[in-house]
Amino acid sequence: MHPSQVLLLWSRRPPPGSRSRGRPRQENKGQRDCPRPIPRLSPAAAAGPAVTYFTPQEKPECGNLAGVRHIILILSGKGGVGKSTISTELALALRHAGKKVGILDVDLCGPSIPRMLQVQGRAVHQCDSGWVPVFVDQEQSIALMSVGFLLEKPDEAVVWRGPKKNGTSDEHIATLEALRPYKPLGALVVTTPQAVSVGDVRRELTFCRKTGLQVMGVVENMSSFVCPHCAECTNIFSRGGGEELARHAGVPFLGSVPLDPELTRSLEEGRDFIQEFPKSPAFPALISITQKILDRALAQLS
């Protein structure tokens, strides 16, 4: 089970001029409510446990999660399928839909979302209610927390050392158990079309079923490539694997996101793909997936 996963959290955006309860403003770092910068992790400091997980019997107070209406786990059980890409673009699409979004990048070994949102090198600060995430924009509509902010150097490796149980899904279980008291909306499972990826992701669906985590649906990433010159569509990584996986597992298929050089370039440069490339073949797919997530959230509230 690949350890990397992303949590996407959102609430309604507050009215202009208001301030979210329990979420200190990052620019207040010099004031009394947020005076302490978090030190960067050196290789030695990164070699010990740094995260506390709660069992249901130790359920913490809601705290900063009190204003969070929906929590989604974006996972796959397979590395390299584009969880960070999908998470970043969904966050941007939700922001343009008027939502306030938080991303918790739980990829300890390869945190890439700070670069995708052009906030690498930013500092995380400590305040009375906990760590203040890095805000991506002036309106503070997207907040990000990532281990990438805690490293002294961007190419530093994080080596975690401590008690380890048998099995390779401890990270998934710990994350799920920590969030279970807050009733996550569900899991969005990302795959690529080829059989090797689908086989691994099928086991992730089994993990969700065994742990009682509801699957919102499957997203097939890198589904095809549309030539920008002749518009011919080429299925580089096979075709239809994600849709077949969803059908076999009895879960919704949310859509296919094609390979797109403009999407790749926007991620590498930290640009807002949703705003800048509405004519891209990937744009309608991402908007459709976002709308299905919003519809699911609305249905749950009703």
Side-chain angles (χ1 to χ4, degrees), residues 1 3 5 7 51-56 58 60 73 75 104 106 108 163-165 167-182 184 207 211 213:
M1 199 77 70
Q5 57 212 301
L7 309 180
V51 179
T52 300
Y53 296 110
F54 297 91
T55 65
E58 300 171 315
L73 286 82
L75 39 82
L104 175 58
V106 198
L108 304 180
K164 178 74 174 177
K165 301 177 183 178
T168 56
S169 59
D170 289 348
E171 298 90 349
H172 286 64
I173 294 173
T175 302
L176 180 57
E177 289 305 313
L179 289 171
R180 194 182 297 278
Y182 305 106
F207 168 85
T211 56
L213 178 62

Side-chain angles (χ1 to χ4, degrees), residues 183-231:
K183 300 179 180 179
L185 188 61
L188 189 153
V189 180
V190 183
T191 186
T192 48
Q194 66 268 42
V196 172
S197 175
V198 169
D200 289 341
V201 176
R202 182 177 291 113
R203 287 186 280 274
E204 185 76 5
L205 291 172
T206 302
F207 168 85
C208 293
R209 185 173 63 252
K210 287 184 176 181
T211 56
L213 178 62
Q214 190 169 16
V215 176
M216 299 181 64
V218 174
V219 172
E220 183 182 277
N221 193 29
M222 311 181 203
S223 61
S224 60
F225 172 73
V226 179
C227 177
H229 303 292
C230 67

Side-chain angles (χ1 to χ4, degrees), residues 2 14 30 35 38 72 98 101 109 138 140 150 167 170 178 184 195 197 199 215 238 248 262 265 270 281 291 297 299:
H2 198 268
I38 299 297
I72 298 175
V101 186
C109 301
Q138 291 293 329
Q140 299 186 0
L150 308 180
D170 289 348
S197 175
V215 176
S238 186
H248 180 78
E262 291 178 334
R265 186 164 57 252
Q291 187 58 54

Side-chain angles (χ1 to χ4, degrees), residues 35-259:
R36 302 180 295 280
I38 299 297
R40 304 280 182 172
L41 289 179
S42 65
V51 179
T52 300
Y53 296 110
F54 297 91
T55 65
Q57 292 77 21
E58 300 171 315
K59 178 181 176 181
E61 296 297 326
C62 287
N64 290 344
L65 287 178
V68 175
R69 303 185 69 181
H70 305 289
I71 300 175
I72 298 175
L73 286 82
I74 299 179
L75 39 82
S76 71
K78 176 73 175 176
V81 298
K83 293 181 292 296
S84 296
T85 295
I86 296 299
S87 300
T88 298
E89 298 310 321
L90 289 181
L92 291 170
L94 286 168
R95 179 181 71 176
H96 288 298
K99 308 301 179 183
K100 192 176 179 72
V101 186
I103 304 175
L104 175 58
D105 184 2
V106 198
D107 191 339
L108 304 180
C109 301
S112 54
I113 295 183
R115 175 173 179 173
M116 292 178 174
L117 291 173
Q118 206 175 19
V119 289
Q120 65 269 41
R122 298 276 187 90
V124 173
H125 292 84
Q126 177 80 39
C127 68
D128 294 339
S129 59
W131 288 5
V132 182
V134 170
F135 292 100
V136 173
D137 53 352
Q138 291 293 329
E139 296 78 20
Q140 299 186 0
S141 57
I142 298 181
L144 171 63
M145 180 61 74
S146 172
V147 73
F149 297 132
L150 308 180
L151 302 178
E152 288 184 329
K153 300 178 181 178
D155 57 351
E156 198 68 77
V158 177
V159 181
W160 296 96
R161 185 171 58 208
K164 178 74 174 177
K165 301 177 183 178
N166 293 330
T168 56
S169 59
D170 289 348
E171 298 90 349
H172 286 64
I173 294 173
T175 302
L176 180 57
E177 289 305 313
L179 289 171
R180 194 182 297 278
Y182 305 106
K183 300 179 180 179
L185 188 61
L188 189 153
V189 180
V190 183
T191 186
T192 48
Q194 66 268 42
V196 172
S197 175
V198 169
D200 289 341
V201 176
R202 182 177 291 113
R203 287 186 280 274
E204 185 76 5
L205 291 172
T206 302
F207 168 85
C208 293
R209 185 173 63 252
K210 287 184 176 181
T211 56
L213 178 62
Q214 190 169 16
V215 176
M216 299 181 64
V218 174
V219 172
E220 183 182 277
N221 193 29
M222 311 181 203
S223 61
S224 60
F225 172 73
V226 179
C227 177
H229 303 292
C230 67
E232 180 180 354
C233 181
T234 303
N235 299 308
I236 298 176
F237 296 115
S238 186
R239 178 183 180 183
E243 188 169 8
E244 176 63 21
L245 172 65
R247 187 194 65 77
H248 180 78
V251 300
F253 179 66
L254 300 181
S256 301
V257 180
L259 288 164

